[in-house]
Amino acid sequence: DYHLMLVPQLVRERRPKVKIGWFLHVPWCAAETYATFPRRKEVMRGLLGADLIGFHVYDYARHFMDSVMRTLGVEASVHRETYVRDHTKGHSLSVGVFPIGIDPVRFDKALDLIETKDKIIDVKRRFDGRLVVLGIDRLDLIET
């Protein structure tokens, strides 16, 4: 994902009115660590071309916001509405948290379906008296 961090601003320069969303699939480091990167300003300017930047968890978003303020001195709010206002470019963007996970309500509802109940009965009969070991692999791996 790091090699794509310049893309939002490159797209913004060519298509100023298009809506741009960008999601980081890996953790954002603490501002103190980000401050050590040689091209930190260039990369940050690239990201600030987006309209929406998403992270998996709040801490990653907070680290990003801290990095924005520390690296560029750009206004960033991490209170009720999370946003960044870049006065030098006249552009604002939102920062959101979009956790990976399942919809538990959907799975609870699925337990009430006749086909699900029938499948549970079938599995219990098929493996009655035997030890069953179940493995679940993620299809969308993230690096943490």
Side-chain angles (χ1 to χ4, degrees):
D1 290 348
Y2 295 106
H3 62 286
L4 298 174
M5 290 182 176
L6 299 175
V7 172
Q9 185 57 38
L10 294 172
V11 172
R12 175 79 50 222
E13 289 167 3
R14 287 168 181 74
R15 303 281 308 270
K17 294 184 189 263
V18 73
K19 295 293 181 191
I20 302 169
W22 191 84
F23 189 87
L24 184 63
H25 295 273
V26 296
W28 188 271
C29 62
E32 295 78 15
T33 303
Y34 189 77
T36 66
F37 296 160
R39 296 187 169 241
R40 63 190 168 276
K41 288 184 179 182
E42 182 180 354
V43 169
M44 188 63 72
R45 286 267 173 234
L47 287 173
L48 294 186
D51 295 292
L52 172 66
I53 298 177
F55 297 93
H56 286 296
V57 297
Y58 174 76
D59 284 343
Y60 304 165
R62 184 176 50 80
H63 288 315
F64 173 75
M65 301 293 277
D66 290 345
S67 296
V68 168
M69 290 184 286
R70 183 174 180 158
T71 303
L72 300 176
V74 170
E75 177 186 344
S77 170
V78 291
H79 300 292
R80 289 183 187 152
E81 187 177 324
T82 304
Y83 70 92
V84 175
R85 174 77 180 147
D86 185 350
H87 294 286
T88 63
K89 300 281 186 176
H91 179 68
S92 294
L93 64 114
S94 295
V95 177
V97 177
F98 307 99
I100 290 180
I102 63 167
D103 181 355
V105 173
R106 180 177 170 208
F107 279 84
D108 282 344
K109 286 181 180 179
L111 289 172
D112 292 331
L113 298 173
I114 296 296
E115 10 349 325
T116 304
K117 291 178 180 183
D118 290 345
K119 188 67 175 179
I120 290 170
I121 291 168
D122 179 51
V123 170
K124 284 182 177 180
R125 283 185 186 146
R126 185 182 321 161
F127 297 105
D128 187 36
R130 292 192 256 173
L131 174 66
V132 176
V133 177
L134 176 66
I136 299 174
D137 293 327
R138 294 183 59 116
L139 297 177
D140 182 20
L141 295 176
I142 61 167
E143 300 157 24
T144 55

